[in-house]
Amino acid sequence: MVDAQQLPMARGFGKTERIDAWWKSPLAMACYLGAAIIYATWRGFMEADFWIFSEFGNSACGAASGVITECQTLSIESNGNHVLSPLYSPLIIPGADGLGSMVPTFLWWMSPAMFILIIPAGFRGTCYYYRKAYYRSLLASPVACAVSTPFGDYNGERKLFLFQNLHRYFMYLAVAYLFVLTYDVYISLQFHADDGAGALRWGLSMGTLILLINVILLGGYTFGCHSFRHMVGGIRNRFSSGGGQIAEACWKGCTKLNKKHNMWAITSLFWVMFADFYIYACTEGWWTDVVLWGGL
Ligand code: FES
């Protein structure tokens, strides 16, 4: 039996024989992911109602009353429609109507984003593409091929890292989440006159388009997921029997998206943050949500 041979390699954090700019890609990814994590965390806490955070967004919960205050920054209401930030959807306000009625009121201090961010965070955090990206850029394990790691050699995903197997369950939730976000696009098309009768008119604002692009990008990312592809077709041994043609078509469609999974992952993450920032900027009065067609 032949023993495995270890190639000679410089040891020490970042030590390598490589002479190319191997550090550019992990550094860029670290900046990108770091910015996204900081932004989402800030916005998630912004509408919370405890400690210093109530000073920022002034809380969506209206101090446990279940009423959205005028100062909230989670949705544009100025045109008579309702353009809700994807970071706060589905809107869960403890004690309020809808999903909030299932949440105990003693959680009034939590922002709506805190209830749901676990789904997109869990889905992306356990994604095969993001795993490679943050193992390299944030954990430096390994930071790049043939570059020494700071904590010993890479040993694969064992022990605590077995939680990554939860990805397929986050995928189920992410697919359901797409329907919720699509419903938000539909709601943003409805303009209600402030005339007491609340007459409904259809319209299209810039915010609606931004939400729509968000759903398209998230759809491209979600339906190109390895786990989703396995669910729709890969679970079979052959496509030649029992609805196999449909499964094969779905599998091929997912494969097309999967080939560009990194592109979908990066652009969809950017657009979620941008959509939220657009809504934030409009509620703060920095930008105006222009109505492109119809409306009031
Ligand atoms: S593998 Fe990336 S979302 Fe499933």
Side-chain angles (χ1 to χ4, degrees):
M1 190 163 145
V2 181
D3 288 335
Q5 294 287 312
Q6 284 251 331
L7 292 174
M9 186 172 150
R11 291 286 162 184
F13 180 39
K15 289 257 176 73
T16 182
E17 304 291 333
R18 288 177 63 169
I19 56 172
D20 61 328
W22 58 267
W23 46 269
K24 276 188 182 170
S25 174
L27 180 64
M29 185 54 74
C31 294
Y32 182 67
L33 291 180
I37 291 168
I38 291 169
Y39 180 81
T41 306
W42 171 58
R43 285 289 285 148
F45 277 87
M46 192 175 186
E47 293 292 343
D49 205 6
F50 65 95
W51 202 24
I52 60 170
F53 300 107
S54 54
E55 300 297 320
F56 288 107
N58 209 17
S59 178
C61 306
S65 64
V67 177
I68 299 177
T69 67
E70 288 180 2
C71 306
Q72 52 82 20
T73 63
L74 44 80
S75 60
I76 303 169
E77 311 280 353
S78 53
N79 295 325
N81 60 349
H82 181 70
V83 184
L84 178 63
S85 162
L87 291 189
Y88 295 92
S89 179
L91 194 58
I92 299 175
I93 300 175
D97 290 344
L99 290 173
S101 63
M102 293 185 271
V103 179
T105 49
F106 68 82
L107 295 175
W108 57 266
W109 50 273
M110 288 179 69
S111 82
M114 288 179 175
F115 293 108
I116 49 100
L117 275 182
I118 182 68
I119 297 174
F123 185 50
R124 288 187 189 265
T126 56
C127 161
Y128 293 79
Y129 168 72
Y130 277 109
R131 272 143 76 173
K132 183 186 102 177
Y134 68 74
Y135 286 166
R136 289 188 172 189
S137 59
L138 298 183
L139 306 181
S141 177
V143 69
C145 292
V147 178
S148 186
T149 65
F151 318 112
D153 290 334
Y154 176 71
N155 280 320
E157 293 174 315
R158 296 197 250 170
K159 299 180 180 170
L160 263 184
F161 284 96
L162 289 178
F163 79 88
Q164 303 283 22
N165 291 334
L166 293 175
H167 184 64
R168 81 185 71 167
Y169 302 106
F170 280 117
M171 181 270 293
Y172 300 141
L173 294 171
V175 171
Y177 196 52
L178 272 178
F179 286 97
V180 174
L181 294 178
T182 304
Y183 179 70
D184 287 343
V185 176
Y186 171 69
I187 291 295
S188 72
L189 291 166
Q190 301 179 4
F191 291 65
H192 294 272
D194 193 16
D195 57 2
L200 166 68
R201 293 189 195 129
W202 296 96
L204 180 81
S205 77
M206 203 62 199
T208 305
L209 283 183
I210 287 174
L211 293 190
L212 180 63
I213 293 172
N214 185 49
V215 170
I216 292 169
L217 291 175
L218 283 178
Y221 173 57
T222 306
F223 297 134
C225 167
H226 296 266
S227 294
F228 184 81
R229 185 173 65 157
H230 178 72
M231 183 183 78
V232 298
I235 209 164
R236 294 165 162 265
N237 287 329
R238 61 172 70 99
F239 287 128
S240 57
S241 61
Q245 284 179 335
I246 296 173
E248 184 180 12
C250 293
W251 187 88
K252 282 183 174 168
C254 292
T255 298
K256 276 191 186 150
L257 293 171
N258 185 268
K259 283 180 182 166
K260 300 270 184 198
H261 196 49
N262 57 345
M263 186 273 289
W264 290 108
I266 289 173
T267 51
S268 62
L269 180 63
F270 168 80
W271 201 265
V272 170
M273 300 301 154
F274 172 71
D276 175 77
F277 184 77
Y278 175 84
I279 287 159
Y280 174 48
C282 289
T283 57
E284 288 290 309
W286 304 333
W287 294 347
T288 302
D289 185 33
V290 178
V291 177
L292 303 170
W293 165 78
L296 300 179

